Amino acid sequence: DGRTLGQLVTDAGPLTVARSVALARQICLALHAAHKLGVVHRDIKPENVFVTRAADGSDFVKVLDFGIAKQLRARAKQTTLGQVMGTPFYMPPEQAQGRAVNARADLYALGVVLWELLSGQSYETVKGRAPLLTVSATGEAIDDRLAMLVSACLEAEEKARPASAEEVGKVLAAIGPS
C-alpha cells in the first residue's frame, strides 16, 4: 500500500516543510545504505520514491527502481562513459554530459526533489541557477539551513555538493523531526 512521492504531491497538494524534510531524510537513509555498498542510484525522482505508512501511521519511504544504478566498484563496466541514462531534470551536469558519476550525483537529484517539494514547482521551470527558497508552497518560512542545504545539493560542480547522503541526513535531522 502506498503511492509514489509524485502521486502523493498530486493527490495531497504541496507538503508542509516538516513533512518534506522528514521524507527527504528517509531518502538520505536509503541512499546512504546504497552508497555504502558502492551503488549510485542515478535516477532519484518523485516517481522512484514510494511512500507508504509505518505501523505508527507515519510516512515510510522506499527508494525504488535501481534499474540504471551504477556499481562503483564493479570490475566490468556496465555502462560506457558518454552514455546518458536517467531523467533529464533530475540529472546532475556530469551525468547529463555522460561523464563518470559518484554518490554526489544522487545528492543533486535529491536536491531537485526537495526543491520541488518545498517550492511546489517543477524544476523544469528553473532557468539557470535555482532561486534560494525562503517561503514554501504552503506559505511557511524555510529555515536558512534548509535553503542552503538545497542550494548546496544543486551545485553544478559535484565537489561543491555535500560529501554524502549521511551528511545531508544529519543536517535534515537537525532542522526537523524525523
Side-chain angles (χ1 to χ4, degrees):
D1 290 327
R3 53 195 161 174
T4 68
L5 184 55
Q7 291 168 329
L8 174 66
V9 171
T10 297
D11 295 347
L15 305 181
T16 64
V17 170
R19 190 173 188 190
S20 298
V21 166
L23 291 168
R25 185 170 176 221
Q26 289 187 53
I27 296 168
C28 284
L29 292 171
L31 290 176
H32 177 62
H35 295 165
K36 278 179 39 180
L37 296 173
V39 175
V40 178
H41 189 283
R42 298 196 304 173
D43 200 22
I44 295 297
K45 60 185 177 182
E47 292 73 22
N48 287 341
V49 175
F50 197 73
V51 183
T52 187
R53 291 277 176 208
D56 66 1
S58 63
D59 289 323
F60 185 80
V61 168
K62 298 178 183 184
V63 175
L64 306 176
D65 194 359
F66 280 77
I68 65 167
K70 173 89 174 157
Q71 178 72 36
L72 294 176
R73 294 185 272 259
R75 290 179 191 251
K77 289 186 177 180
Q78 295 177 351
T79 57
T80 306
L81 284 181
Q83 185 176 15
V84 178
M85 301 176 99
T87 305
F89 290 103
Y90 297 91
M91 271 190 231
E94 65 273 16
Q95 185 175 346
Q97 295 166 1
R99 293 185 283 137
V101 298
N102 60 35
R104 290 179 175 177
D106 287 342
L107 300 183
Y108 180 92
L110 175 65
V112 174
V113 169
L114 195 48
W115 189 90
E116 289 182 334
L117 288 176
L118 295 169
S119 72
Q121 300 174 48
S122 169
Y123 200 71
E124 292 179 45
T125 65
V126 173
K127 305 295 182 222
R129 183 136 175 94
L132 194 63
L133 298 171
T134 57
V135 178
S136 75
T138 58
E140 299 169 83
I142 294 178
D143 184 292
D144 289 342
R145 295 171 297 172
L146 180 56
M148 296 305 291
L149 177 66
V150 172
S151 182
C153 288
L154 294 172
E155 285 289 342
E157 178 59 44
E158 68 181 282
K159 291 179 181 168
R161 293 181 213 136
S164 68
E166 181 179 37
E167 179 183 311
V168 173
K170 285 179 182 178
V171 174
L172 291 170
I175 292 169
S178 60

